[in-house]
Amino acid sequence: MNNPASLLILLFFGITYLQSSYEKLFYWDDNINWMKSHFAQTRLKNHVKLAVINLVLMELVSTILCFVGAIELIVSDGRIFGFYGAVFSAITLLMMLFGQRLAKDYDGARTIVIYFIPAVMAVYWLN
């Protein structure tokens, strides 16, 4: 395998999004209630459930693509699934960043940037 850094980032995002989507799905009411209050003063206030559904779907797609991409990288040194996993990871983070900026949660937005950097690195390395 020629690309251990990409493998590690794909595993990192696979685990991260698996855990994140699990929490959103299995603690749905708690998450929805928190997000309703978080976005109460924004244009998303009446669309929180739809936004969370979209986010969970993106996280699940990212999870699957990252794990399949990691397997593909190990088995055949292929990069197609990993590349799309990295791209979907970056798009998912941009969605989260948009929400945090909209809610004026600048600390939350700053945290997302920390995740965004390795996502863009993975897109570059796997391209």
Side-chain angles (χ1 to χ4, degrees):
M1 186 182 71
N2 296 331
N3 209 340
S6 294
L7 175 65
L8 291 171
I9 290 177
L10 289 172
L11 292 173
F12 171 78
F13 280 116
I15 292 166
T16 299
Y17 288 128
L18 179 64
Q19 185 267 336
S20 181
S21 57
Y22 171 86
E23 282 187 4
K24 286 180 186 70
L25 290 171
F26 287 93
Y27 302 98
W28 180 260
D29 290 335
D30 293 338
N31 277 287
I32 293 297
N33 290 332
W34 182 84
M35 288 192 193
K36 281 183 178 179
S37 67
H38 189 66
F39 294 107
Q41 303 301 315
T42 72
R43 291 176 285 188
L44 288 178
K45 67 182 173 188
N46 297 322
H47 308 288
V48 169
K49 282 186 182 179
L50 181 61
V52 174
I53 290 168
N54 285 328
L55 185 59
V56 168
L57 289 174
M58 288 295 290
E59 287 178 336
L60 289 172
V61 169
S62 298
T63 299
I64 292 165
L65 288 171
C66 285
F67 282 138
V68 171
I71 293 167
E72 179 187 34
L73 204 57
I74 293 168
V75 171
S76 68
D77 210 31
R79 297 193 240 169
I80 293 170
F81 285 97
F83 171 75
Y84 286 111
V87 168
F88 270 80
S89 293
I91 292 169
T92 302
L93 290 165
L94 288 172
M95 289 170 57
M96 291 180 198
L97 179 69
F98 176 77
Q100 296 298 70
R101 296 291 301 198
L102 198 59
K104 294 182 176 36
D105 181 356
Y106 300 115
D107 287 333
R110 186 175 23 255
T111 302
I112 291 166
V113 171
I114 295 168
Y115 286 88
F116 189 69
I117 293 166
V120 171
M121 289 170 55
V123 170
Y124 178 77
W125 288 338
L126 293 165
N127 187 12

